[in-house]
Amino acid sequence: LKILEDSIPVQEEEIAALEDRFSHPESFSDPVREMRELTEQLNALRAKLEQDYARWEELSTKLENLG
């Protein structure tokens, strides 16, 4: 549970940083390729974050039921 609580904010920051890069396409040397790569990275990070939130919720519920 603690590992998830520590990693979720880091993942959210990584997602925010990638989303911010979309705001500055002028900095891309190969916009089409780089946008595709960023989209793939962003989708993977969002999927991982969604899984981690679900796991965190599951573990939190189990912990509450124990207490």
Side-chain angles (χ1 to χ4, degrees), residues 40-61:
E40 290 172 3
Q41 291 174 3
L42 193 54
N43 289 340
L45 282 171
R46 286 177 175 160
K48 173 83 168 86
L49 181 61
E50 186 176 321
Q51 290 173 345
D52 285 355
Y53 267 124
R55 182 69 176 144
W56 177 82
E57 188 173 319
E58 175 187 346
L59 292 174
S60 292
T61 300

Side-chain angles (χ1 to χ4, degrees), residues 1-15 48-57:
L1 190 61
K2 176 71 172 136
I3 292 170
L4 290 171
E5 289 175 343
D6 291 341
S7 70
I8 286 173
V10 172
Q11 292 175 60
E12 290 173 333
E13 288 176 16
E14 290 174 3
I15 289 171
K48 173 83 168 86
L49 181 61
E50 186 176 321
Q51 290 173 345
D52 285 355
Y53 267 124
R55 182 69 176 144
W56 177 82
E57 188 173 319

Side-chain angles (χ1 to χ4, degrees), residues 11-45:
Q11 292 175 60
E12 290 173 333
E13 288 176 16
E14 290 174 3
I15 289 171
L18 284 178
E19 289 173 338
D20 186 58
R21 288 189 61 196
F22 278 104
S23 302
H24 307 286
E26 67 278 358
S27 66
F28 298 150
S29 59
D30 183 353
V32 174
R33 180 186 56 79
E34 291 177 55
M35 292 288 266
R36 186 180 329 114
E37 290 173 359
L38 282 177
T39 299
E40 290 172 3
Q41 291 174 3
L42 193 54
N43 289 340
L45 282 171

